[in-house]
């Protein structure tokens, strides 16, 4: 199994750390970068991990 999906995930986690320690204007940029990296990481993830994420999303109770 290829672990290429961990590269954007790691980048996204590093950017989210910068988000907590940055000013307001920079915070918007870092939050967009974090979301983009997490989406890319999910696209590159193996299908088994995608199934686990899907099951978690279905089983998580929704609040109104």
């Amino acid at each position: 199994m290829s672990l290429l999906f961990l590269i954007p995930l790691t980048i996204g986690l590093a950017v989210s750390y910068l988000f907590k320690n940055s000013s307001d204007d920079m915070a918007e940029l870092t939050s967009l970068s974090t979301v983009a990296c997490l989406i890319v990481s999910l696209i590159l993830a193996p299908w088994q991990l995608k199934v686990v994420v899907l099951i978690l999303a279905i089983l998580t109770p929704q609040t109104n």
Side-chain angles (χ1 to χ4, degrees):
M1 177 177 6
S2 175
L3 297 177
L4 270 175
F5 72 96
L6 290 177
I7 294 170
L9 181 62
T10 305
I11 293 170
L13 291 174
V15 169
S16 66
Y17 173 76
L18 290 174
F19 169 71
K20 287 187 172 187
N21 299 325
S22 61
S23 64
D24 291 334
D25 293 335
M26 191 65 166
E28 293 176 13
L29 271 175
T30 55
S31 62
L32 289 175
S33 298
T34 302
V35 170
C37 286
L38 292 177
I39 289 172
V40 169
S41 176
L42 192 58
I43 289 171
L44 295 175
W47 68 268
Q48 296 94 342
L49 187 60
K50 291 178 185 178
V51 169
V52 169
V53 170
L54 181 64
I55 290 172
L56 287 174
I58 291 173
L59 295 179
T60 303
Q62 296 179 356
T63 59
N64 294 350

